Amino acid sequence: MKNLLLAILLLISSFQIQAQNKPIATLPFELKSDNRIYVKCRVNQSDTLTFLFDTGAGAMVINESILGKKLNLVLDSTANNVGSNGESKIKASKHNKLSFGNINIDSVTYLAIPYGDAPFDGVFGNNLMKKYIIEINYHKKLIYLYSIKDYVLNAKAYDKFDLKFVMGVPTITASLFIDSIQIKGTFEMDTGGDSGLIIADYFSKNNNFAQKLKQVATAGSVGSDGAKTETSIVIVPEVTLGTKSFYRIPSLLSGAQSGVLGSQQLAGIFGNAFLKRFDVILDLHHNQLFLKPNDYLYTPYYEFLVK
């Protein structure tokens, strides 16, 4: 009888949580071969535009290359943009609208960055993500947005991480193990990054990673400021987040001397090739992140490394 009552109470509790956690918007997204999340938005009276869903961007951005083609904006101000590889002074447009799902927001400022032929028209930044509790389901390809006020967290299956904003981006503490030595650092959590793990130049040099880790390839990267860098890909034997460890992680050694990766405040960046391996609950308003491994966990980071 006690077991029956317990089962009924758990069932009622589950129904209450589901009822309270009704999303205020559901966004289908595309997870392209570059591992990044793309959602559909509209700006002012535009047709549908493709936006990169980017926790590593502190502002809303328009690809300057689409202006006059897909979208007309009045660039009436300037701003300083700090990207992963550098920083620059750019033009901006104030007092615009943004529509996504069934949500409409007024008075949005967009930075104009020349991404050229990038596969997106704009960037959805973390300044607006802070307004919601966000669940990212990579297999359903859905983003659920919830009211901060009404959301009831039921995250027993998740690992919880405290977030700290550094240089305008959310970060967590993680550890790398090299030759059985634990090396802790502060890492950005970046859904807009296409790589798995990027290690900042100062962190790499301070720990002699180029000498200690085997290089397996090279790769190029482009930051949100448009700066391009060439990086070495090495294998990190073990990476630990909270109570979970991950082994033989292909990682990029960044050579950037400015921007987020050029700062000594960050040890590196976990990009979406790493984050897509988890179901994610993101609460930037309360600086919390919840991760639960999903079926992408053991998929390869780079096809050319698969034998």
Side-chain angles (χ1 to χ4, degrees):
M1 186 64 178
K2 288 183 179 180
N3 289 339
L4 178 60
L5 289 174
L6 179 60
I8 292 172
L9 288 173
L10 290 173
L11 186 61
I12 292 173
S13 176
S14 176
F15 283 143
Q16 288 176 337
I17 289 171
Q18 291 176 16
Q20 288 174 302
N21 287 345
K22 182 178 180 181
I24 57 177
T26 301
L27 303 182
F29 69 83
E30 185 177 2
L31 189 66
K32 294 188 178 181
S33 58
D34 64 2
N35 294 307
R36 299 189 289 185
I37 298 172
Y38 296 92
V39 298
K40 299 299 182 183
C41 302
R42 292 175 59 213
V43 175
N44 300 333
Q45 303 302 316
S46 75
D47 290 333
T48 300
L49 301 173
T50 299
F51 272 61
L52 178 67
F53 195 79
D54 187 0
T55 56
M60 298 297 296
V61 177
I62 287 295
N63 185 349
E64 191 172 3
S65 304
I66 74 165
L67 297 182
K69 302 173 184 177
K70 296 182 179 181
L71 178 67
N72 293 315
L73 281 182
V74 177
L75 301 178
D76 50 14
S77 58
T78 60
N80 189 49
N81 176 55
V82 179
S84 58
N85 300 322
E87 55 185 286
S88 58
K89 201 78 172 178
I90 56 175
K91 296 178 181 179
S93 179
K94 296 181 177 180
H95 308 300
N96 297 282
K97 295 182 179 180
L98 174 70
S99 300
F100 52 97
N102 57 341
I103 296 176
N104 299 294
I105 300 178
D106 295 320
S107 300
V108 177
T109 296
Y110 295 95
L111 308 185
I113 296 178
Y115 286 111
D117 60 354
F120 52 87
D121 303 309
V123 177
F124 194 110
N126 66 46
N127 59 324
L128 289 188
M129 295 182 197
K130 293 176 183 178
K131 297 178 180 290
Y132 312 99
I133 305 294
I134 298 170
E135 290 188 12
I136 305 175
N137 187 307
Y138 283 94
H139 278 288
K140 291 183 178 180
K141 305 295 189 299
L142 292 173
I143 295 172
Y144 302 98
L145 304 177
Y146 298 92
S147 165
I148 293 173
K149 180 179 66 175
D150 300 327
Y151 188 79
V152 178
L153 182 63
N154 182 26
K156 291 182 179 179
Y158 292 75
D159 284 329
K160 175 186 174 182
F161 300 90
D162 292 324
L163 294 174
K164 181 180 179 181
F165 271 80
V166 178
M167 299 183 70
V169 299
T171 70
I172 66 169
T173 299
S175 295
L176 310 185
F177 285 83
I178 313 294
D179 296 331
S180 300
I181 298 173
Q182 181 182 21
I183 307 168
K184 286 187 177 181
T186 299
F187 293 83
E188 176 187 345
M189 306 303 281
D190 184 13
T191 60
D194 60 357
S195 60
L197 172 61
I198 305 177
I199 300 174
D201 188 59
Y202 97 91
F203 193 66
S204 171
K205 289 179 178 176
N206 280 0
N207 294 286
N208 298 313
F209 287 161
Q211 291 74 39
K212 293 179 179 179
L213 300 175
K214 180 182 178 181
Q215 178 176 325
V216 293
T218 59
S221 63
V222 181
S224 66
D225 58 325
K228 299 180 180 180
T229 59
E230 181 94 352
T231 58
S232 298
I233 300 178
V234 298
I235 301 296
V236 175
E238 182 180 351
V239 176
T240 299
L241 278 71
T243 61
K244 290 186 170 55
S245 293
F246 308 90
Y247 301 95
R248 293 189 54 78
I249 305 299
S251 307
L252 281 67
L253 300 184
S254 173
Q257 300 301 308
S258 61
V260 171
L261 284 170
S263 166
Q264 295 191 15
Q265 297 182 66
L266 289 181
I269 296 174
F270 285 105
N272 212 50
F274 183 84
L275 294 175
K276 75 175 186 180
R277 298 160 196 275
F278 306 88
D279 290 335
V280 175
I281 299 175
L282 188 63
D283 182 358
L284 296 182
H285 183 77
H286 297 105
N287 293 328
Q288 293 180 335
L289 172 71
F290 299 86
L291 300 177
K292 180 176 67 174
N294 61 32
D295 290 342
Y296 281 118
L297 184 61
Y298 298 110
T299 56
Y301 286 85
Y302 299 100
E303 293 295 337
F304 64 80
L305 295 178
V306 179
K307 296 183 179 180

